[in-house]
Amino acid sequence: MMNSRKRLLRWASGIMLVLGTGHLSLLALTAGEGVTGWVDRGMWAAVPLALTDGGAVQTVKSLQNVVTFWGGPGSFAVPLILLGCLTWHLAGRGVAVPAGIGWGLATWCVLGGVLLVPSPFFAGIISGALIIVAARKEDRPGAARDRERRDDSGC
């Protein structure tokens, strides 16, 4: 049977994975043509570096290209997927993710949700809260065993 810490972390990672992959899937559906254009023109075409004096006029197409990049591979989706995978892996090993990660994720999702309403950012708060709760849960049998050892050793 899965312990409660592992279950909480698996739920948190599942939410992160759904949010990240869902975000990238929506990008593929809405801007698939722009992404495939990067393949045709080369990956550097995603966000070309234009070293100008700032007076260069950007076209609608170039702005759409930049928005597509920052809405997809340059967005929160890729790091969120990676964090979800790491959390899943650590949960499987019985390692608690530090509560600070949960607080950071929850804070980031609150700010993102407030700035970009309506958005699924608020669902990320649940992942952050689950990580915080999981980090605060003691592993009862191990903690009791450690206390007994300390009592027996006189420390």
Side-chain angles (χ1 to χ4, degrees):
M1 186 175 154
M2 214 184 307
N3 68 22
S4 62
R5 178 186 288 163
K6 184 175 182 177
R7 188 174 28 255
L8 291 170
L9 290 175
R10 289 280 166 101
W11 271 101
S13 64
I15 291 168
M16 287 184 275
L17 291 169
V18 166
L19 286 173
T21 55
H23 194 273
L24 290 178
S25 298
L26 282 175
L27 172 80
L29 292 173
T30 60
E33 189 177 309
V35 175
T36 56
W38 297 340
V39 176
D40 293 340
R41 296 184 316 268
M43 284 308 290
W44 289 110
V47 182
L49 295 174
L51 302 174
T52 63
D53 60 359
V57 177
Q58 291 188 332
T59 65
V60 171
K61 189 172 181 172
S62 70
L63 289 174
Q64 285 175 334
N65 193 47
V66 171
V67 167
T68 300
F69 174 78
W70 288 112
S75 74
F76 73 95
V78 175
L80 195 60
I81 291 169
L82 293 172
L83 181 60
C85 289
L86 177 64
T87 302
W88 186 276
H89 174 76
L90 292 176
R93 292 178 164 253
V95 177
V97 177
I101 300 296
W103 282 110
L105 179 62
T107 302
W108 176 58
C109 288
V110 165
L111 291 173
V114 167
L115 294 172
L116 189 64
V117 174
S119 86
F121 258 111
F122 290 117
I125 298 168
I126 298 167
S127 286
L130 290 172
I131 290 171
I132 294 165
V133 171
R136 300 201 184 283
K137 282 203 173 288
E138 281 188 37
D139 199 7
R140 297 289 180 207
R145 210 177 314 118
D146 290 342
R147 265 188 253 116
E148 288 174 11
R149 285 186 191 143
R150 275 186 262 134
D151 291 342
D152 290 343
S153 67
C155 295

